Amino acid sequence: MTDDDLGELRRQVRDLVGEWRDGDRFRPVCDAWLRSYDTEFSRALADRGWIGLTWPREYGGQARSNRARLVVTEELLRAGAPVAAHWIADRQIGPAVLRYGSPALRERYLPAIAAGAVTFCLGMSETESGSDLASVRTTARPDGDGWRLTGGKIWTSHAHRSTHAYVLCRTGTGGDRHEGLTELIVDMSAPGVTVRPIVDLRGEHHFNEVVFDDVHVPGDHVLGTAGNGWTQVTEQLSFERGGMERVLSTYPLLAATVDACAARRDADAALGEALARLAGLRGLAWRIAGELDAGQAPVHAAAVLKDLGTEFEADVNEIARTVLDVEPDPDGDGPAGLLAQGLLAAPGFSIRGGTTEVLRTIIAKGAARAPRRGGDELRELADDVLGGHGGDPDGLPALWSTVHGLGWTGVSVPEGAGGSGGTLTDLAALVRGMGRHGVSLPLAETVLAARQFAAAGRGLTDGVATVVAGDGVA
Ligand SMILES: Cc1cc2nc3c(=O)[nH]c(=O)nc-3n(C[C@H](O)[C@H](O)[C@H](O)COP(=O)(O)OP(=O)(O)OC[C@H]3O[C@@H](n4cnc5c(N)ncnc54)[C@H](O)[C@@H]3O)c2cc1C
């Protein structure tokens, strides 16, 4: 099968999921990718080559695209299928091993993950290190041909069931704290590893506290280069944040809500809007998958998807709460059960994998560093607003009002002085647009006057101003 056959792949996944669901081998739940754990189901996916789908064939993969993987994950998540056992390894540990692992690590772990035989948990967070991941204190010190690992991780999902852990730890001291971080692969059955359960709001045990007490880690179990952990983990986060699991955690509830509306032959505006948002989010996930296929690490786009996606997941709960005529029931089946699951899982949506505040900081920094494309955007805007208005003097008052409303009369005037900010280059892009469309408006002189007013410490005046050279401003 090639990547032209994504429709066929989607159908195959739907068939398998349908078979398992109809055979009562799983019950669709919200937040299944974190909470619904079934190694047998994971092995059924592995048998079809759907774990490690993008990896090279020599490492047990199918050499398919990230877009193909998106099709598989989307269908599994939509169904609320039990995918938690392989999720972390398939999503991010495998790709990290592929990118940074030695040939020996690749040979040892990738085929085993793809077969569903090795499962990973993610040892990043510590009691004092969550958002500020660079402050981790778990330490590995060199010991003969390996390392001795000491410290503790917290919120480690499925540590009690995983065969292995990815652990971010400190191997160097002094200097920049982003230096001296190292990624290790740790066997969870090694002497000195202790796992203690943490029960969540739903009364479920999925995450844990993990203690490493002088645990021996073989020297060849360093992922990439010792001390380069920060760069490597930052890239890994685009795999962690850029998938549809940040959008579809409450999809089974959304589907139940749509079904309820359809059964009542009812329509709900908020539900319609949610479906439109979902389409936009799918588009973004598709773009991120394409960038991963191109060998990029779309850290910023992934942060945007996670921020918007987790907001969407939580909004689905609210929409369902108002549309469905049921009380949430944690022990219930159908919509009542799904609503309870969605509501009780929701507090974690915007925390796990990086909090909303942290993501927005990443997005803002990315935007600040992005090359300025204002000229092109303003050109397009000018064409949109002014197109078709040339040569119609009667339309000018209305057009002026539009232009003023859009803030064009304040372009290049500081926002603190009541303007719209930007530069004279921005103004020039708009004035050029007027020339292109033959529109005659006193935009340049009004802005120049406004700049004079601002420079004189006076606010902007409304309406049209004319600059009379030599005689001041009229
Ligand atoms: C369901 C669930 C599963 C998880 N599974 C795992 C797992 O498997 N492995 C793992 O390693 N971790 C896991 N985590 C932990 C998760 O990654 C952390 O909770 C998260 O990174 C936030 O860290 P923290 O809890 O220490 O909060 P803190 O970092 O202490 O943040 C507390 C508050 O301060 C805000 N804040 C912090 N720094 C800034 C800043 N610079 N600017 C603005 N605001 C800031 C945060 O946004 C937040 O609101 C899981 C968490 C949840 C909820």
Side-chain angles (χ1 to χ4, degrees):
M1 195 189 299
T2 69
D3 275 342
D4 298 333
D5 302 327
L6 294 183
E8 171 60 14
L9 180 61
R10 194 179 288 278
R11 193 190 57 72
Q12 290 176 0
V13 181
R14 281 185 186 174
D15 283 352
L16 177 77
V17 162
E19 204 179 292
W20 275 63
R21 188 186 43 226
D22 296 346
D24 280 335
R25 299 177 79 182
F26 79 85
R27 193 167 58 107
V29 290
C30 288
D31 212 21
W33 67 273
L34 184 78
R35 292 161 192 275
S36 195
Y37 196 103
D38 182 347
T39 46
E40 217 186 306
F41 184 71
S42 293
R43 275 196 291 273
L45 299 180
D47 289 346
R48 286 158 180 79
W50 294 341
I51 300 179
L53 188 70
T54 60
W55 309 344
R57 290 183 188 280
E58 61 184 301
Y59 296 126
Q62 303 293 318
R64 297 208 57 181
S65 65
N66 278 284
R67 287 179 167 163
R69 180 174 182 272
L70 181 57
V71 164
V72 172
T73 52
E74 204 174 34
E75 287 308 316
L76 295 170
L77 293 163
R78 274 160 44 94
V83 292
H86 67 273
W87 199 262
I88 304 275
D90 176 58
R91 174 181 74 186
Q92 69 193 90
I93 304 302
V97 171
L98 196 58
R99 200 164 176 122
Y100 289 109
S102 63
L105 276 189
R106 291 180 187 179
E107 274 160 33
R108 176 154 183 185
Y109 286 105
L110 295 178
I113 294 172
V118 159
T119 53
F120 267 86
C121 60
L122 204 54
M124 291 187 184
S125 306
E126 300 182 5
T127 46
E128 302 298 326
S129 307
S131 305
D132 185 17
L133 199 54
S135 67
V136 293
R137 287 178 301 179
T138 294
T139 303
R141 60 181 170 77
D143 178 46
D145 65 347
W147 302 86
R148 287 277 166 188
L149 180 68
T150 299
K153 297 290 175 181
I154 197 162
W155 314 125
T156 322
S157 301
H158 301 296
H160 57 306
R161 294 157 146 165
S162 302
T163 61
H164 290 77
Y166 157 96
V167 175
L168 181 70
C169 64
R170 193 161 288 289
T171 49
T173 50
D176 184 338
R177 66 205 186 100
H178 294 98
E179 293 168 11
L181 290 171
T182 297
E183 299 180 303
L184 295 179
I185 292 179
V186 179
D187 184 338
M188 290 297 281
S189 64
V193 179
T194 307
V195 179
R196 299 192 188 114
I198 303 175
V199 176
D200 82 350
L201 201 61
R202 264 163 68 167
E204 291 176 356
H205 169 208
H206 54 88
F207 45 34
N208 302 272
E209 184 182 359
V210 183
V211 179
F212 302 104
D213 182 11
D214 209 30
V215 175
H216 172 71
V217 181
D220 62 359
H221 274 50
V222 169
L223 193 52
T225 310
N228 192 40
W230 185 250
T231 308
Q232 296 176 195
V233 74
T234 309
E235 289 186 14
Q236 197 189 119
L237 292 178
S238 21
F239 291 103
E240 181 171 354
R241 294 172 177 157
M244 283 302 276
E245 68 269 36
R246 305 303 183 178
V247 179
L248 296 177
S249 301
T250 49
Y251 187 89
L253 176 62
L254 180 67
T257 310
V258 171
D259 286 349
C261 261
R264 297 202 298 252
R265 295 184 165 276
D266 201 359
D268 182 85
L271 187 55
E273 192 193 328
L275 295 176
R277 279 167 72 191
L278 177 57
L281 291 164
R282 289 183 73 198
L284 182 54
W286 189 256
R287 199 190 99 189
I288 290 170
E291 290 182 12
L292 290 173
D293 282 333
Q296 296 163 13
V299 176
H300 299 109
V304 172
L305 182 71
K306 183 176 185 276
D307 183 20
L308 297 177
T310 53
E311 199 176 353
F312 169 81
E313 296 178 324
D315 286 351
V316 166
N317 284 335
E318 288 312 302
I319 294 165
R321 212 166 52 79
T322 52
V323 172
L324 290 173
D325 197 13
V326 294
E327 285 295 312
D329 176 5
D331 302 317
D333 273 331
L338 291 170
L339 183 56
Q341 293 158 16
L343 289 169
L344 289 170
F349 294 167
S350 61
I351 298 174
R352 61 190 179 191
T355 66
T356 296
E357 289 77 7
V358 168
L359 294 172
R360 290 184 183 170
T361 304
I362 293 169
I363 295 164
K365 284 182 179 166
R369 278 198 296 267
R372 280 185 66 82
R373 285 178 300 185
D376 287 347
E377 281 168 15
L378 284 174
R379 187 188 161 94
E380 280 172 25
L381 177 68
D383 288 345
D384 280 346
V385 173
L386 303 171
H389 285 283
D392 173 19
D394 292 342
L396 288 179
L399 185 58
W400 179 252
S401 169
T402 302
V403 158
H404 183 58
L406 287 170
W408 290 13
T409 48
V411 167
S412 83
V413 180
E415 288 179 48
S420 313
T423 63
L424 281 173
T425 310
D426 298 335
L427 175 65
L430 300 175
V431 172
R432 260 189 241 112
M434 287 168 45
R436 261 197 317 283
H437 294 284
V439 168
S440 172
L441 289 174
L443 181 64
E445 46 270 61
T446 299
V447 172
L448 291 176
R451 288 168 60 88
Q452 293 291 339
F453 274 110
R458 294 169 58 188
L460 279 184
T461 53
D462 255 356
V464 181
T466 303
V467 180
V468 181
D471 288 324
V473 180

